[in-house]
C-alpha cells in the first residue's frame, strides 16, 4: 500500500528534523562551554540531510547521514582572570552563533509541523480506504 | 461531440486510486526533503499518466544491453521512472533545493481531497454492484 510508504517517508522526516532540533539544543546549551572532554572549546554542530533513494520507488524519505562540526574560528573573549586565559588574557570560546541557531530552530520546527500535517492527512486517507465499500 | 472512452468504472477507479496514492508518496517525499540540500522536487502529470495507464501503455523502466557474443556480459539497468518529472521552481534557493513548502503542502492537500473523491466513486460502484447482486438497495 502506497499510503503506508507515505507514512514511513513522513516519519523519516520527523526523525531527521528532531535530530536537527537536538543538535541545535546542544549548540545553544554549549554556547559558553570553554572546554569539552578533549579540553578544547565546544564547536557548533550541524546535521547533514540526504535524500534516501530506493529503486522502483519515487522516493523513500530523508536521513541524517553525518553530523558536521563547524570549522568557523573560535570566539576570543578578553577575561584575564579566567583559568583558561592565554598569555594575553584572552579565552577561546565556542564558535556557536546564537542568531544562526535560532533561525535554524524555527526552520526545523516549521518543517516538523509540515510533515506532521502531511501524516495527519495520510492517516485520514488510510482510514477512509479501510471503509471502502461499506 | 468528443468521444468519451468507455472504461470499466471498477478498473478505472482502482487505477486512479493507485495513481493518487503514488502521487501522495511523491509529494510526501518532497515535503520530507524540504531541507535536504540539492534535492529537486518531483511530481507526475496526473491526467497524462492516468490516460497512459488506462491505455495499457506503460513505459518500461528496464534498459537492457544487446549481447552479440557469448562472452558479453548481460547488462541490465533500471532507469528512473519516466513518469516522474521535476517541478519548475518559482524562486531559486541557495542550497539548490527546489522544494517550496507552501506549493507542496497545498498540492498534497489537494491530492488527498481528490483521493477521497476517487475512494467515493469506487465505493459507489461497489455499492451499486452489491445491490445488483443482492437485489436490494443497500
Amino acid at each position: 500500500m502506497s499510503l503506508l510508504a507515505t507514512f514511513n517517508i513522513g516519519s523519516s522526516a520527523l526523525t531527521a528534523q528532531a535530530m536537527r532540533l537536538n543538535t541545535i539544543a546542544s549548540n545553544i546549551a554549549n554556547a559558553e562551554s570553554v572546554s569539552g572532554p578533549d579540553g578544547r572549546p565546544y564547536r557548533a554542530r550541524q546535521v547533514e540531510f540526504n535524500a534516501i533513494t530506493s529503486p522502483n520507488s519515487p522516493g523513500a524519505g530523508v536521513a541524517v547521514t553525518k553530523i558536521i562540526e563547524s570549522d568557523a574560528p573560535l570566539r576570543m573573549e578578553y577575561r584575564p582572570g579566567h583559568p583558561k586565559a592565554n598569555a594575553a588574557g584572552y579565552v577561546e570560546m565556542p564558535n556557536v552563533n546564537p542568531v544562526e541557531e535560532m533561525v535554524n530552530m524555527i526552520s526545523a520546527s516549521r518543517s516538523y509541523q509540515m510533515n506532521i500535517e502531511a501524516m495527519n492527512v495520510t492517516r485520514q486517507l488510510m482510514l477512509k480506504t479501510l471503509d471502502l465499500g461499506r | 461531440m468528443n468521444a468519451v472512452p468507455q472504461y470499466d468504472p471498477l478498473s478505472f477507479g482502482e487505477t486512479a486510486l493507485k495513481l493518487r496514492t503514488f502521487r501522495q508518496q511523491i509529494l510526501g517525499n518532497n515535503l520530507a526533503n524540504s531541507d535536504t540540500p540539492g534535492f529537486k522536487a518531483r511530481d507526475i502529470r496526473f491526467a497524462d499518466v492516468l490516460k497512459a495507464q488506462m491505455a495499457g501503455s506503460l513505459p518500461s523502466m528496464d534498459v537492457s544491453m544487446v549481447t552479440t557474443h557469448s562472452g558479453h556480459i548481460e547488462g541490465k539497468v533500471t532507469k528512473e521512472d519516466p513518469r516522474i518529472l521535476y517541478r519548475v521552481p518559482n524562486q531559486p534557493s541557495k542550497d539548490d533545493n527546489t522544494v517550496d513548502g507552501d506549493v507542496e503542502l497545498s498540492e498534497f492537500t489537494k491530492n488527498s481531497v481528490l483521493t477521497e473523491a476517487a475512494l467515493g466513486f469506487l465505493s459507489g460502484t461497489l455499492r451499486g454492484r452489491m445491490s445488483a447482486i443482492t437485489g436490494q438497495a443497500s
Side-chain angles (χ1 to χ4, degrees), chain A residues 2-3 5-6 9 13 17 20 49-51 57-62 111 114-115 118 121-122 125 128-129 132-134, chain B residues 21-22 24-26 28-29 31-37 39 61 78 84 101 105 108 112 115-116 119 122-123 126-127:
Chain A
S2 246
L3 280 177
T6 314
I9 290 170
Q17 296 294 349
R20 183 171 168 208
F49 284 178
N50 253 313
S57 142
V62 62
S111 298
M114 202 159 69
N115 280 291
V121 170
T122 310
L125 280 181
K128 280 256 160 73
T129 313
L132 188 65
R134 291 233 175 115
Chain B
T21 51
F22 180 67
Q24 194 84 345
Q25 197 182 336
I26 299 173
N29 193 48
L31 282 175
N33 283 295
S34 59
D35 290 321
T36 308
F39 182 82
M61 277 190 267
T78 308
I84 311 177
L105 198 58
F108 190 88
S112 78
T115 311
E116 278 193 37
L119 276 168
L122 201 54
S123 202
L126 287 173
R127 258 205 305 277

Side-chain angles (χ1 to χ4, degrees), chain A residues 32-115:
Chain A
E32 304 284 328
S33 302
V34 280
S35 96
D38 56 351
R40 300 284 306 148
Y42 179 87
R43 280 179 179 275
R45 269 155 221 197
Q46 284 252 13
V47 290
E48 188 184 279
F49 284 178
N50 253 313
I52 309 171
T53 48
S54 70
N56 300 323
S57 142
V62 62
V64 173
T65 45
K66 236 195 283 177
I67 292 178
I68 314 159
E69 278 196 358
S70 157
D71 52 5
L74 295 166
R75 200 170 80 236
M76 301 301 279
E77 216 167 85
Y78 185 63
R79 281 199 206 164
H82 197 280
K84 286 260 178 188
N86 62 11
Y90 283 93
V91 183
E92 280 182 323
M93 300 293 281
N95 56 0
V96 176
N97 183 346
V99 178
E100 219 170 78
E101 300 302 331
M102 294 311 275
V103 171
N104 226 336
M105 187 178 74
I106 294 166
S107 162
S109 80
R110 286 283 171 275
S111 298
Y112 195 92
Q113 285 168 13
M114 202 159 69
N115 280 291

Side-chain angles (χ1 to χ4, degrees), chain B residues 10-107:
Chain B
L10 212 55
S11 73
F12 179 78
E14 188 204 334
T15 314
L17 194 59
K18 266 189 191 155
L19 263 185
R20 281 284 170 215
T21 51
F22 180 67
R23 179 154 187 248
Q24 194 84 345
Q25 197 182 336
I26 299 173
L27 296 175
N29 193 48
N30 288 348
L31 282 175
N33 283 295
S34 59
D35 290 321
T36 308
F39 182 82
K40 310 289 181 212
R42 323 269 324 240
D43 202 353
I44 56 172
R45 216 175 282 163
F46 189 80
D48 292 358
V49 178
L50 182 60
K51 219 178 274 172
Q53 207 116 335
M54 285 314 289
S57 60
L58 259 192
S60 162
M61 277 190 267
D62 287 333
V63 183
S64 40
M65 283 197 268
V66 180
T67 51
T68 51
H69 187 272
S70 59
H72 283 169
I73 299 169
E74 206 179 301
K76 203 174 173 195
V77 189
T78 308
K79 67 175 179 194
E80 277 217 333
D81 195 332
R83 294 173 295 171
I84 311 177
L85 311 173
Y86 289 93
R87 197 183 298 297
V88 179
N90 39 24
Q91 50 182 345
S93 76
K94 211 178 168 192
D95 63 353
D96 276 338
N97 183 309
T98 63
V99 180
D100 184 338
D102 308 322
V103 173
E104 299 302 332
L105 198 58
S106 68
E107 284 298 323

